[in-house]
Amino acid sequence: MSSESVASIQQFLILAKSSKGKALTVIIQQVLNHPNIFVFGELLELQNVQSLKGSAEEPWLKLLEIFAYGTLKTYKESTGFPELSGSQLTKLKKLTIVTMAWQTKAIRYADLKRELDINETRELEDLIIECTYHEIIKGRLNQKNELLIIEYSIGRDVNPAEFNFICSSLTNWSNRANELLDKIDERLKHASFLEEATNKQKKEIGDRIVTIQETLKSNQELLKFGFDDVGGMKLQRVAKQLRKA
């Protein structure tokens, strides 16, 4: 979220904390109309806002929830909500693009047009350009293949109804990560064992080479004199005995 967005939402949070009823719904409308505010979690969490539940102003609370974690399709499939202003409709379409950007990194124009209820390609591309201007997504248009290639998108507020699913998914991911770390640890231990065994084998081979070299050196000295010092054996007999050895 940009510093401008943070400053803007903070101003509305201060006003909302001291407002109730219809006065609070006016603030909600202003937030939904604001061109730079795309995250609404802090406003939703306020006790004053939650107190709208069960009151005549509850539709504004429900509408705020749609802007927090819903899409244009969510709004269209629901009933009893206030009618959207032009700026609110445009913002909800932008938020819908953000949601789609989290689902796939290459979004087809056809899918965007269907979800955003847009027919003209030029209108769609203009909306995408506005999204990049507000820095809620970063990407590029592949006009030849009619694709929006996503490089980055902001995060949206989390629907409380999805908390259990998210926690379960994170737990499963953590368990799989731990299992992978255990396997890596086993591989490292095995690699360490192989390295130790290889070094031991290298040492044994090196020791044998040294022994053979010393034996050859000793044999060369015997050949040099032609006789050994024990029993006066001739050179040929010494060589014969060495070959048998």
Side-chain angles (χ1 to χ4, degrees):
M1 189 187 303
S2 67
S3 57
E4 183 179 357
S5 297
V6 172
S8 298
I9 192 63
Q10 290 301 321
Q11 293 176 3
F12 287 114
L13 288 174
I14 293 172
L15 293 173
K17 289 177 181 178
S18 59
S19 301
K20 294 182 180 180
K22 290 188 178 298
L24 184 56
T25 64
V26 172
I27 294 174
I28 291 175
Q29 293 178 59
Q30 291 174 342
V31 169
L32 299 183
N33 281 314
H34 198 286
N36 296 318
I37 297 177
F38 294 93
V39 179
F40 311 91
E42 289 183 275
L43 183 59
L44 266 175
E45 291 174 354
L46 292 180
Q47 184 60 43
N48 286 10
V49 174
Q50 288 299 314
S51 67
L52 295 177
K53 191 176 298 182
S55 70
E57 287 76 29
E58 183 176 9
W60 287 104
L61 170 62
K62 296 299 183 183
L63 184 61
L64 181 60
E65 290 175 347
I66 287 181
F67 273 76
Y69 35 75
T71 63
L72 179 62
K73 184 178 181 180
T74 310
Y75 174 80
K76 291 174 66 176
E77 292 178 348
S78 305
T79 58
F81 290 106
E83 185 176 352
L84 298 179
S85 66
S87 59
Q88 290 170 356
L89 178 60
T90 299
K91 178 184 284 191
L92 189 53
K93 289 182 178 181
K94 293 175 182 178
L95 291 168
T96 300
I97 293 176
V98 172
T99 294
M100 296 178 73
W102 274 93
Q103 296 169 348
T104 179
K105 298 305 178 185
I107 314 173
R108 298 186 306 169
Y109 277 22
D111 294 334
L112 286 164
K113 288 178 179 179
R114 182 184 66 252
E115 294 297 321
L116 303 176
D117 196 18
I118 291 177
N119 295 321
E120 299 298 327
T121 297
R122 178 60 183 272
E123 181 183 355
L124 172 63
E125 291 180 340
D126 287 345
L127 184 64
I128 293 171
I129 291 171
E130 287 183 25
C131 289
T132 59
Y133 174 78
H134 288 293
E135 298 182 345
I136 58 176
I137 66 166
K138 288 183 181 179
R140 56 186 175 85
L141 297 174
N142 184 330
Q143 295 176 315
K144 179 180 180 181
N145 297 311
E146 295 195 330
L147 291 170
L148 168 60
I149 308 301
I150 298 296
E151 299 172 1
Y152 159 84
S153 66
I154 63 169
R156 296 196 64 187
D157 297 299
V158 179
N159 188 339
E162 298 177 349
F163 281 166
N164 290 338
F165 171 76
I166 293 173
C167 289
S168 177
S169 299
L170 290 174
T171 299
N172 292 335
W173 176 86
S174 177
N175 291 337
R176 290 195 298 270
N178 287 331
E179 290 175 1
L180 179 60
L181 289 174
D182 289 340
K183 290 181 180 179
I184 292 175
D185 188 52
E186 291 177 3
R187 294 289 181 89
L188 290 174
K189 289 180 179 178
H190 182 63
S192 178
F193 170 79
L194 291 178
E195 183 181 11
E196 184 178 348
T198 300
N199 291 336
K200 182 179 180 181
Q201 186 178 35
K202 286 181 179 179
K203 185 178 183 306
E204 291 176 351
I205 293 173
D207 292 342
R208 289 177 62 184
I209 291 174
V210 171
T211 301
I212 292 172
Q213 288 174 339
E214 291 177 349
T215 301
L216 289 175
K217 181 179 180 181
S218 177
N219 290 343
Q220 287 173 352
E221 291 178 353
L222 289 175
L223 292 172
K224 177 179 178 181
F225 290 102
F227 296 92
D228 64 355
D229 295 333
V230 182
M233 296 175 66
K234 290 185 177 180
L235 177 61
Q236 290 80 359
R237 294 181 62 189
V238 173
K240 183 178 180 181
Q241 291 294 327
L242 288 175
R243 283 195 296 272
K244 289 182 178 181

